[in-house]
Amino acid sequence: MKQMIVHCQPNITQMALLERGKVVEYAAERTGERGLLGSFFKGRVVNVLPGMQAAFVDIGQKKNAFLYIDDVLHPHLDKQPEVKPSITELLHVGQEIIVQVFKEPVGGKGARVTTHYALPGRYIVYMPLAGYVAVSKRIAKESERNRLKIISEKCRTEKEGMIVRTVSESESLESIDGDLIQLRKQWERIQFKAETCSAPRLLHRDLSIVQRFIRDSYTEGGDEFVIDDEQRAKEAAAYFLEMVYSEIPKIHVYQGNQTVFEAYGVQEQLEKDFKRKVWLGGGGYVVIDHTEALTVIDVNTGKYIGGRNLEETVTATNLQAAAEIARLIRLRDIGGIIIIDFIDMEKEENRSMVLRTLEVEIKKDRTKSVVIGWTRLGLLELTRKKVREESTLFID
């Protein structure tokens, strides 16, 4: 069972996702400052750079958005030309195009945008121009994957694309088709607005933080939803209905003297987990440092001396650290290149065990991560898709 805890204040909304009492995801959204990720814009091309095979697009933000050639060509790899054309053959200065933000502005850089449009729903991600169906790799049974692919093919038109989400497992054709119809209408509204306005103009903004968590993380039948604002609770109930749940889950409106984050132990966990030095339950600790290019995580035995010998002590600390690091990466939304300096182990079987532990735990993360493996220096390397600035903790 998961717990979704929402803390509402006049200027900010905070959301925490708990699994077995541990905070695994956290996000905060200031009132009136919703992020750009997932938003659609009608933009105007202001600069085309053939040397970079890219263009800059004015979408009405402080910084122009960056559009790379691969995000202009057809989204299905087998339909892309073997030799890419020059970007100047596809785009010209002054051209107005619909783009979608898939990476938030980071630092001094503008947003990354694409013409590979994707609208996420409850059961599917709708891609109006992709022309193919894919099924989430987290659905393990091949028979179920085939069933979902067959019914999805029945629902879509030839040019449409769909990614069937993990939550669709065991769902009917009617559920998937209902989601598709809603998302198709949403895309039609975006197109209509684009035809009737001039660039730059916002055409569609993704859901609020609460709605996104419900859409992406809520599991029907067992999860608990707690919120400390009556009006926002009604809005959440309306959204649950919109997502075509068989019944509205029980929404608990918290009214205690403490904040809801304090009452559920969220605040205490967050304050520990967002420090540079994070202690592990067994007495070891990890140190997380950031550079411009990557994130470095160092593992130390600290106070832990529980093994029968050094190798056993080190391995036990590393195993605990591997599981905790996977959670911290997800919680703090760390993206890009990540290097982990585990404590040196002599036995290859122990190194393999630590690697497997990290791989298993990282799969619980909805954001795509790739564990590369050990470097020659004995460091563990992985990458995680970076779509927005790393989360920062808001303190009441």
Side-chain angles (χ1 to χ4, degrees):
M1 186 188 80
K2 300 192 294 287
Q3 292 174 301
M4 306 174 76
I5 314 295
V6 187
H7 181 26
C8 304
Q9 297 167 273
N11 297 322
I12 195 164
T13 300
Q14 297 178 85
M15 187 101 183
L17 179 67
L18 280 69
E19 294 177 355
R20 297 186 181 90
K22 294 278 282 185
V23 184
V24 295
E25 290 185 27
Y26 167 80
E29 186 174 86
R30 291 186 179 275
T31 305
E33 292 185 9
R34 194 183 300 179
L36 298 179
L37 189 66
S39 298
F40 286 76
F41 289 88
K42 184 174 185 179
R44 181 181 293 110
V45 178
V46 293
N47 201 359
V48 180
L49 308 171
M52 294 178 63
Q53 284 285 63
F56 285 99
V57 183
D58 178 11
I59 60 172
Q61 301 297 307
K62 291 179 181 178
K63 294 277 187 178
N64 291 329
F66 184 81
L67 177 62
Y68 184 59
I69 190 168
D70 283 354
D71 296 307
V72 183
L73 296 171
H74 195 281
H76 206 345
L77 290 176
D78 63 11
K79 294 186 179 181
Q80 290 189 9
E82 289 186 17
V83 179
K84 295 176 186 177
S86 169
I87 190 77
T88 56
E89 297 176 38
L90 305 174
L91 299 172
H92 60 267
V93 173
Q95 182 176 347
E96 295 188 346
I97 55 172
I98 299 174
V99 294
Q100 184 180 18
V101 175
F102 74 95
K103 281 190 180 180
E104 294 271 11
V106 177
K109 299 178 181 178
R112 280 283 304 273
V113 294
T114 183
T115 62
H116 300 170
Y117 314 120
L119 285 163
R122 173 62 178 166
Y123 300 115
I124 67 168
V125 176
Y126 174 62
M127 302 174 295
L129 306 175
Y132 69 93
V133 171
V135 180
S136 168
K137 293 179 181 178
R138 295 190 181 186
I139 298 176
K141 288 184 180 178
E142 193 63 31
S143 58
E144 177 62 6
R145 292 171 59 84
N146 289 335
R147 184 189 73 87
L148 289 168
K149 189 161 188 176
I150 289 168
I151 65 176
S152 298
E153 291 283 7
K154 289 179 180 177
C155 297
R156 74 179 184 98
T157 63
E158 185 178 355
K159 71 175 183 179
E160 291 177 324
M162 298 162 59
I163 298 173
V164 183
R165 306 184 75 176
T166 309
V167 73
S168 298
E169 190 165 7
S170 302
E171 288 294 335
S172 65
L173 181 148
E174 288 74 23
S175 296
I176 291 173
D177 192 41
D179 214 16
L180 173 60
I181 289 168
Q182 276 192 333
L183 295 169
R184 187 184 284 144
K185 288 178 179 177
Q186 200 171 78
W187 171 240
E188 288 169 355
R189 288 194 294 269
I190 291 169
Q191 288 180 296
F192 177 78
K193 190 171 181 181
E195 291 168 1
T196 55
C197 71
S198 57
R201 184 68 61 87
L202 174 67
L203 303 174
H204 169 79
R205 191 182 287 277
D206 197 14
L207 302 172
S208 70
I209 184 175
V210 177
Q211 292 170 326
R212 288 200 310 272
F213 263 78
I214 292 171
R215 180 191 69 197
D216 296 336
S217 301
Y218 185 79
T219 304
E220 194 170 5
D223 291 355
E224 182 181 7
F225 188 89
V226 183
I227 190 167
D228 57 2
D229 183 278
E230 189 78 46
Q231 180 57 38
R232 300 291 289 278
K234 292 178 182 177
E235 293 171 6
Y239 185 68
F240 273 115
L241 268 181
E242 189 180 319
M243 294 302 290
V244 202
Y245 285 102
S246 56
E247 60 181 42
I248 299 176
K250 185 176 180 181
I251 297 175
H252 174 57
V253 181
Y254 174 78
Q255 296 177 325
N257 294 325
Q258 297 176 294
T259 69
V260 66
F261 269 17
E262 290 171 337
Y264 281 80
V266 174
Q267 194 68 34
E268 182 181 1
Q269 284 192 52
L270 290 176
E271 288 174 4
K272 290 178 180 177
D273 291 340
F274 273 82
K275 288 181 178 178
R276 176 175 177 264
K277 184 177 183 179
V278 180
W279 287 93
L280 305 173
Y285 65 89
V286 300
V287 175
I288 303 175
D289 285 311
H290 304 281
T291 72
E292 186 72 22
L294 49 82
T295 299
V296 180
I297 303 176
D298 185 39
V299 180
N300 296 275
T301 52
K303 304 172 185 176
Y304 181 69
I305 53 172
R308 290 174 296 179
N309 53 56
L310 179 59
E311 180 75 3
E312 188 175 289
T313 299
V314 165
T315 303
T317 302
N318 283 341
L319 287 170
Q320 190 176 41
E324 190 69 352
I325 286 168
R327 184 183 71 88
L328 291 170
I329 288 171
R330 180 182 173 191
L331 173 64
R332 293 162 68 148
D333 201 12
I334 299 171
I337 300 170
I338 302 168
I339 302 294
I340 306 172
D341 185 8
F342 285 105
I343 308 164
D344 289 340
M345 295 167 285
E346 292 183 2
K347 296 182 179 180
E348 186 59 35
E349 63 194 70
N350 291 335
R351 285 159 54 89
S352 297
M353 194 159 45
V354 170
L355 177 61
R356 284 197 304 272
T357 299
L358 183 68
E359 288 173 334
V360 168
E361 293 298 322
I362 213 78
K363 285 180 181 177
K364 298 175 183 177
D365 190 351
R366 286 182 290 110
T367 300
K368 183 178 179 181
S369 299
V370 178
V371 179
I372 309 298
W374 299 98
T375 70
R376 290 184 179 182
L377 293 175
L379 307 171
L380 194 67
E381 182 183 8
L382 67 146
T383 62
R384 184 172 183 269
K385 188 176 179 181
K386 188 168 188 172
V387 294
R388 54 169 65 89
E389 291 272 19
E390 182 182 337
S391 296
T392 53
L393 180 61
F394 178 85
I395 304 294
D396 284 323

